[in-house]
Amino acid sequence: MKILHIDCSIRNEYSISRKLSKLMVEQLQNFHEITSVDYLDLSTDSPNHITECFIEGVYTVPEERTAEMLKELEQSDEYIHRLHDADIYVIGMPMYNFSIPSNFKAFIDLITRTGRTFRGTEHGFEGLLVNKKVYVINTRGVDFSNEIIASFDHLQPYLKSIFRFIGLTDVHFVNVFPVKWGNKEKLESAIYKAEQEIAEAAHNLLLLQI
Ligand SMILES: Cc1cc2nc3c(=O)[nH]c(=O)nc-3n(C[C@H](O)[C@H](O)[C@H](O)COP(=O)(O)O)c2cc1C
């Protein structure tokens, strides 16, 4: 089985989402035969913003695409190839302003493509990234066990919808909070809990496949 490992935190050395997404990959490797890990860092290997030419290229049949359109589609083609090629996606995902980091939104705009990751049928839309397992390690600064704060979460509902649209229905969120605006004890406890959940999730994937 192949893993596509994606990080998008703007932080490096001190990033908790990076540390935990790496642990998720390692735990999957411990419990399962992983043949390859493809790594994508959206913070350093930044996705382009889509353009008018990009959209024209998407809706032009391949034989009639101009050199400019093909250039605009290049990064999207590469990302989509990597998504189809992998069986498991592990995504380190910090919350920014109650939603996803902008680099991940740019990535979504590039990969949500008709005929490639979804298509229209007479019964409605159909996602084309099928039989994939997704782990999202979602770190948040604030304590989301507070009901009012919880209603500010536009990250998880959005990701569930857009992932479902492109065929990704088996999504496991590991929510890690509070990692910033809390005390040291709460931070350590959030990380410890996440580490346990990650080990269990990796183990359970193995059980499901026996
Ligand atoms: C630009 C920015 C915006 C943030 N917005 C939120 C937010 O809306 N809610 C929240 O709980 N934490 C917020 N945080 C805190 C981060 O979610 C938290 O520090 C992050 O998940 C840690 O991930 P990392 O260690 O991998 O960088 C924000 C952090 C930054 C840098």
Side-chain angles (χ1 to χ4, degrees):
M1 297 222 295
K2 295 179 177 180
I3 294 179
L4 173 61
H5 177 192
I6 303 176
D7 278 321
C8 56
S9 172
I10 53 172
R11 302 201 305 159
N12 282 296
E13 199 184 334
Y14 301 109
S15 163
I16 298 165
S17 62
R18 283 177 187 273
K19 185 172 160 248
L20 292 174
S21 69
K22 184 165 174 273
L23 178 68
M24 181 86 237
V25 171
E26 288 165 356
Q27 290 287 22
L28 286 166
Q29 285 173 316
N30 282 346
F31 288 115
H32 208 88
E33 202 184 317
I34 302 296
T35 52
S36 69
V37 180
D38 179 16
Y39 183 63
L40 176 58
D41 186 340
L42 295 176
S43 177
T44 52
D45 180 12
S46 302
N48 300 324
H49 285 285
I50 55 170
T51 60
E52 186 175 15
C53 180
F54 171 87
I55 289 299
E56 279 169 5
V58 166
Y59 290 100
T60 300
V61 288
E63 326 59 89
E64 289 174 18
R65 284 177 186 150
T66 63
E68 200 189 343
M69 286 175 189
L70 291 172
K71 180 116 198 64
E72 285 291 307
L73 292 172
E74 227 170 61
Q75 199 181 30
S76 160
D77 286 337
E78 183 215 306
Y79 287 154
I80 291 171
H81 169 74
R82 291 166 79 170
L83 285 164
H84 277 290
D85 198 43
D87 307 290
I88 304 170
Y89 309 156
V90 175
I91 309 172
M93 170 81 56
M95 174 181 274
Y96 290 162
N97 299 315
F98 301 105
S99 187
I100 59 175
S102 57
N103 55 23
F104 200 82
K105 178 60 167 62
F107 176 74
I108 285 174
D109 289 341
L110 286 168
I111 64 158
T112 306
R113 258 177 74 181
T114 182
R116 303 293 305 276
T117 53
F118 76 92
R119 69 176 171 202
T121 73
E122 60 187 48
H123 309 294
F125 290 110
E126 182 185 43
L128 300 176
L129 289 174
V130 290
N131 299 326
K132 313 286 186 191
K133 176 82 195 181
V134 186
Y135 296 99
V136 180
I137 316 300
N138 177 210
T139 53
R140 305 167 180 204
V142 177
D143 188 347
F144 271 74
S145 52
N146 175 309
E147 215 176 278
I148 297 167
I149 298 279
S151 71
F152 280 57
D153 177 10
H154 298 283
L155 185 151
Q156 201 159 308
Y158 172 67
L159 278 185
K160 277 185 184 163
S161 301
I162 190 65
F163 281 167
R164 191 187 172 133
F165 185 70
I166 56 178
L168 304 172
T169 50
D170 191 354
V171 187
H172 183 132
F173 285 89
V174 178
N175 295 323
V176 194
F177 58 76
V179 302
K180 194 167 167 57
W181 294 284
N183 57 32
K184 191 165 174 272
E185 214 172 277
K186 280 190 175 176
L187 167 69
E188 282 170 1
S189 147
I191 293 175
Y192 177 77
K193 198 170 139 260
E195 287 168 346
Q196 304 302 305
E197 191 177 337
I198 283 168
E200 198 183 331
H203 183 247
N204 285 347
L205 177 72
L206 179 66
L207 291 179
L208 282 176
Q209 292 187 350
I210 285 174

